[in-house]
Amino acid sequence: MMRTLIVDDEPLARARLRRLLQAADDIQVIGEAGDAAEARQMMEREPDLVFLDIGMPGEDGITLAHQLRAASLPPAIVFTTAHADRALAASETAPAGYLLKPVESEALQAAIRRAVQPNRCQHAPRQGLTVRLGREEVLLTADHLVAALAEDKSTHLYFLDPADGTRRREAWLDSSLNELESTFDGHLLRIHRNSLVNPSHVHSLTHDGGQHHCHLRHLEMPLAISRRAWREVRQRIGRDALH
């Protein structure tokens, strides 16, 4: 049972969210707060999950989220807001989800599923990247990533939906491959100047016509491995993967 706190300065927004949460399994709403000061007082109730409005009068939700993350056992945080342009600033606190108002039931259920996963920063921050999925901004950790390809001036990212861990999703990023390597230091493998892969998703390596290829789960197309990268790829993936 997830002990849940609702923080929003709008009574109608709190009431709507409470009604939606009453239909969710394993959710217990333990209180509501109308501002950051009231929310801090309620933290002694030790919520597992906080639905946090960003645009509150006085101290906003982003400031409060930074304070909550500093706790010895921080709760998972799902931001709620009517303003999509606040997503970037909110992403710096590594939230479990990001919901646009009026909150919809399907998006809420997906946010709850992500919040109960162990990558919610309960004990220590993890390397992550925030991307938009429909109406939400969600945090991807290295485990979710499958591959990243440089195409034109953007990066085509393939990843697993954090909500279920099996459905492949795609996104286009402004971040370069070098920036992704830095963000996920040591977790991604460069197989070509134009491509990175997650070694844990590689199921085989092949050699055909003088060219090596990398084959990944959740990605139909094989990816070329450059001669320069081949030695490191073989060391990281293992000789047994070569067919």
Side-chain angles (χ1 to χ4, degrees):
M1 185 69 68
M2 294 279 285
R3 295 168 54 80
T4 302
L5 176 65
I6 300 171
V7 183
D8 197 307
D9 65 300
E10 300 176 4
L12 291 178
R14 295 199 304 269
R16 174 184 173 83
L17 186 53
R18 180 183 277 271
R19 288 196 301 270
L20 292 173
L21 289 171
Q22 287 174 344
D25 295 333
D26 300 328
I27 293 291
Q28 177 190 8
V29 178
I30 61 172
E32 299 180 11
D35 56 36
E38 189 177 1
R40 277 194 296 272
Q41 293 177 357
M42 289 191 175
M43 290 309 295
E44 64 184 20
R45 302 183 186 183
E46 298 183 346
D48 302 305
L49 172 61
V50 177
F51 285 92
L52 180 56
D53 183 26
I54 292 179
M56 298 185 294
E59 188 177 351
D60 66 14
I62 296 176
T63 302
L64 177 59
H66 281 291
Q67 296 171 359
L68 298 184
R69 280 202 62 197
S72 58
L73 191 62
I77 294 173
V78 174
F79 282 115
T80 62
T81 184
H83 305 287
D85 59 354
R86 303 297 303 276
L88 180 59
S91 69
E92 296 175 355
T93 65
Y98 183 94
L99 297 173
L100 290 178
K101 297 179 182 179
V103 175
E104 298 177 353
S105 179
E106 184 177 349
L108 175 63
Q109 294 295 333
I112 292 172
R113 289 195 296 271
R114 278 187 284 272
V116 301
Q117 294 183 7
N119 65 359
R120 62 181 208 172
C121 303
Q122 281 285 0
H123 299 289
R126 294 183 63 183
Q127 297 159 313
L129 173 73
T130 300
V131 300
R132 175 172 285 280
L133 291 179
R135 291 169 58 87
E136 300 176 79
E137 292 280 342
V138 298
L139 176 70
L140 301 179
T141 66
D143 295 338
H144 301 127
L145 304 188
V146 176
L149 310 180
E151 299 182 18
D152 296 325
K153 295 183 179 180
S154 300
T155 296
H156 195 174
L157 184 68
Y158 297 87
F159 58 94
L160 301 181
D161 191 329
D164 58 30
T166 59
R167 184 161 61 113
R168 195 196 76 195
R169 304 292 295 271
E170 301 177 26
W172 291 91
L173 309 176
D174 293 330
S175 305
S176 67
L177 294 186
N178 288 339
E179 289 171 329
L180 285 179
E181 280 186 299
S182 177
T183 298
F184 297 98
D185 183 30
H187 289 88
L188 299 178
L189 175 62
R190 175 83 70 158
I191 65 169
H192 195 279
R193 63 184 177 86
N194 293 328
S195 53
L196 294 169
V197 301
N198 184 339
S200 66
H201 289 298
V202 175
H203 68 74
S204 64
L205 306 174
T206 58
H207 180 77
D208 182 30
Q211 176 66 62
H212 288 95
H213 287 90
C214 180
H215 302 262
L216 298 103
R217 303 176 187 88
H218 308 290
L219 191 66
E220 297 79 10
M221 59 183 178
L223 301 179
I225 304 172
S226 69
R227 292 185 178 182
R228 182 177 181 179
W230 170 241
R231 175 177 238 172
E232 182 180 358
V233 171
R234 186 174 58 181
Q235 291 174 345
R236 288 279 299 273
I237 304 302
R239 294 177 181 272
D240 293 341
L242 182 60
H243 297 286

